[in-house]
Amino acid sequence: MTYQRPAYEEVTIAHRGNTVSLRPSLRAAATLEACHGFPALFRALDDCNLTIISEIILSASVIRQDAAAFLCGHAGKPLFPFFLAVRQPLAELLDMFRPAPDPKAKHATGKPVPWPDFYQALYTQATGFLGWTPENAWNATPTEIDRAYAAHIDKLKAIHGSADDTVASEQDNAYTPERLKEIDELGYDPAFDRDGLNVLRSKIARRA
């Protein structure tokens, strides 16, 4: 069965009667990436690095007490069943630290952005453009911020028009050879506001 990334990004892990829910929040993503980097985080899962795995669970836990109880549940017991229970869910969680691909987004052609700068940009978008509180921004996932910001830009374009619309309008009004020929045949420029000019002349005449 092909894995499908859930619309609501949360991972639940159960082991030895204990359950913990993890959210790929911006806070967890920025903190863990800054401490270890993505390669080391994924490698920790392959290497069964208990220290880093425990750090991931504590950082991303929805309720920290649940995470502490979950981690204490394997104390004094074989670790292999614990690693089997957490490796795949944690790999999915780490993948959610990156925004889900947007099929409508244009392919990026710019220079790659370091992850700390990218997370800082997401925080700025959430607090500066969307008006979220810092707490809401840190608790949201990178995908949630990315989608909300894209929707905000679409809303502004719908209200005010986009740069593409402006360029298209300027191109429509460009004085191409064909346009100049049309003006010459008509004897006037259809785009010229002649009535507005007459009103302006009348105002100037009254002031004179």
Side-chain angles (χ1 to χ4, degrees):
M1 182 177 178
T2 303
Y3 168 74
Q4 288 187 338
R5 192 162 171 168
Y8 181 75
E9 297 180 320
E10 184 171 293
V11 170
T12 300
I13 309 175
H15 179 63
R16 294 189 180 276
N18 292 311
T19 302
V20 62
S21 295
L22 309 176
R23 281 270 288 163
S25 66
L26 180 63
R27 176 185 284 109
T31 300
L32 289 169
E33 196 285 327
C35 289
H36 304 288
F38 275 113
L41 289 171
F42 280 103
R43 188 167 56 250
L45 302 184
D46 293 334
D47 295 343
C48 297
N49 186 316
L50 181 60
T51 300
I52 296 181
I53 286 175
S54 299
E55 190 176 341
I56 295 172
I57 292 173
L58 286 170
S59 298
S61 59
V62 176
I63 302 175
R64 195 171 180 85
Q65 293 87 337
D66 290 348
F70 181 83
L71 292 172
C72 289
H74 64 73
K77 301 179 178 65
L79 287 175
F80 185 68
F82 170 79
F83 290 133
L84 284 180
V86 304
R87 283 175 65 183
Q88 183 58 36
L90 291 184
E92 295 173 6
L93 178 79
L94 293 180
D95 191 50
M96 294 175 190
F97 285 163
R98 318 173 203 191
D102 185 355
K104 298 184 297 182
K106 295 181 180 179
H107 179 66
T109 57
K111 185 178 179 181
V113 177
W115 284 108
D117 295 343
F118 177 75
Y119 289 139
Q120 181 60 47
L122 285 180
Y123 177 80
T124 301
Q125 289 172 358
T127 56
F129 287 89
L130 299 175
W132 296 0
T133 65
E135 186 66 16
N136 288 338
W138 286 122
N139 288 331
T141 71
T143 297
E144 288 171 342
I145 298 174
D146 184 62
R147 294 293 188 271
Y149 180 72
H152 178 69
I153 295 300
D154 287 342
K155 176 184 175 182
L156 293 178
K157 286 181 179 179
I159 295 174
H160 305 291
S162 66
D164 292 340
D165 296 334
T166 302
V167 170
S169 177
E170 291 175 351
Q171 290 176 343
D172 290 341
N173 292 325
Y175 286 93
T176 61
E178 293 77 11
R179 180 77 180 278
L180 293 172
K181 181 179 179 182
E182 178 188 4
I183 292 172
D184 183 60
E185 292 174 350
L186 292 173
Y188 66 93
D189 185 353
F192 184 71
D193 187 2
R194 194 168 299 278
D195 292 336
L197 177 60
N198 291 333
V199 171
L200 179 61
R201 284 175 174 172
S202 298
K203 288 182 179 179
I204 294 174
R206 286 198 297 269
R207 291 176 182 175

